[in-house]
Amino acid sequence: MKVKFAEFVMSNSDVAKCPKSMLPEYAFIGRSNVGKSSLINMLTDRKSLAKTSGRPGKTQLINHFLINKNWHLVDLPGYGYARVSKSAKKTFQKFITQYFNYREQLVSAFVLVDVRHKPQPVDLDFMQWLGEHGIPFSIIFTKADKLKSKAIENHVNDYKTVLLETWEEAPNYFVTSSSKGIGKDDVLGYIEELNRDMLIN
Ligand code: GDP
């Protein structure tokens, strides 16, 4: 898929106020600083559609972008940042869980994890929660340019091993690097395939 059109639609903290249209939707989420904004900019071929920032936890809203006028890309707030207050964390959890529980248009989530790190409890807990709530997701490993291919393979296998302790099947995954443009076609091709399936069914 080529992204020919990418436009910011709206930001809000209330799932009830998200766009009413029934276009298929894909949500990107992960720990702050994982490289989510960079990945969204890479996927959409825009320098600053999603704001990259050095200040974790700054963008705590549900951000909708309209892509090619036929699907929504949703940029969700980063989780696991230490510097926000407990009450801010609670509010965050509430609207994120509401988003996942009530957003019918959501086709799949993409959970971003930094490929350099061993499986982290905060990410595993979140994946567990998605699985228990029947929300389809794929893993996107980010910053693949930072490791050699053997190390990437080892880290991906570590994730698979941990997830297979709880689940029968490991989720789909993608290895990406926004700085090197790795994985872009794979992620966009996958979304295109799911969009096509939605039209057929
Ligand atoms: P976000 O907080 O998850 O939106 O993360 P950002 O996209 O703002 O990126 C956080 C930091 O990681 C920034 O310093 C980026 O330059 C860096 N970064 C993001 N993606 C990559 C990547 O693919 N490779 C490398 N080497 N650095 C990256």
Side-chain angles (χ1 to χ4, degrees):
M1 179 194 332
K2 278 220 158 53
V3 171
K4 293 187 184 140
F5 177 95
E7 185 184 77
F8 169 74
V9 183
M10 60 158 76
S11 291
N12 68 77
S13 59
D14 182 353
V15 65
K17 293 187 186 141
C18 287
K20 298 273 176 282
S21 98
M22 290 305 288
L23 291 177
E25 175 160 316
Y26 300 86
F28 291 74
I29 189 163
R31 258 209 276 188
S32 305
N33 232 25
V34 69
K36 180 164 53 73
S37 310
S38 306
L39 182 94
I40 291 172
N41 292 336
M42 168 180 83
L43 292 176
T44 55
D45 254 328
R46 303 295 189 280
K47 279 207 178 72
S48 57
L49 190 69
K51 306 264 182 298
T52 47
S53 88
R55 253 182 59 206
K58 220 177 79 183
T59 46
Q60 295 173 47
L61 291 166
I62 303 169
N63 302 295
H64 273 79
F65 298 94
L66 179 62
I67 312 295
N68 290 350
K69 303 197 180 179
N70 63 4
W71 59 279
H72 279 130
L73 183 157
V74 180
D75 181 6
L76 293 175
Y79 55 74
Y81 34 81
R83 262 185 266 150
V84 299
S85 68
K86 267 196 184 146
S87 64
K89 264 186 204 165
K90 259 199 175 154
T91 312
F92 162 78
Q93 272 173 358
K94 195 167 164 215
F95 77 74
I96 292 303
T97 50
Q98 282 182 339
Y99 171 83
F100 283 111
N101 282 327
Y102 297 114
R103 192 68 181 158
E104 281 173 50
Q105 296 89 332
L106 180 70
V107 178
S108 183
F110 290 98
V111 181
L112 276 62
V113 294
D114 189 320
V115 76
R116 293 172 296 175
H117 303 150
K118 294 261 173 207
Q120 305 283 312
V122 67
D123 297 314
L124 292 170
D125 287 352
F126 185 65
M127 292 177 202
Q128 183 74 21
W129 185 88
L130 288 174
E132 282 167 2
H133 287 78
I135 294 148
F137 70 92
S138 298
I139 301 178
I140 292 187
F141 293 98
T142 62
K143 308 190 188 182
D145 56 288
K146 297 252 193 186
L147 290 184
K148 297 217 162 71
S149 56
K150 189 69 199 161
I152 293 175
E153 203 181 302
N154 288 340
H155 282 201
V156 168
N157 284 335
D158 285 347
Y159 250 97
K160 277 192 200 158
T161 306
V162 176
L163 289 167
L164 287 173
E165 284 170 10
T166 338
W167 302 100
E168 262 174 40
E169 263 179 77
N172 262 329
Y173 70 88
F174 301 91
V175 174
T176 68
S177 159
S178 304
S179 43
K180 293 264 162 33
I182 298 168
K184 177 181 172 180
D185 293 344
D186 294 337
V187 176
L188 287 176
Y190 179 65
I191 292 174
E192 187 173 30
E193 215 176 278
L194 291 176
N195 281 344
R196 211 178 297 134
D197 289 350
M198 303 277 301
L199 285 178
I200 294 166
N201 295 316

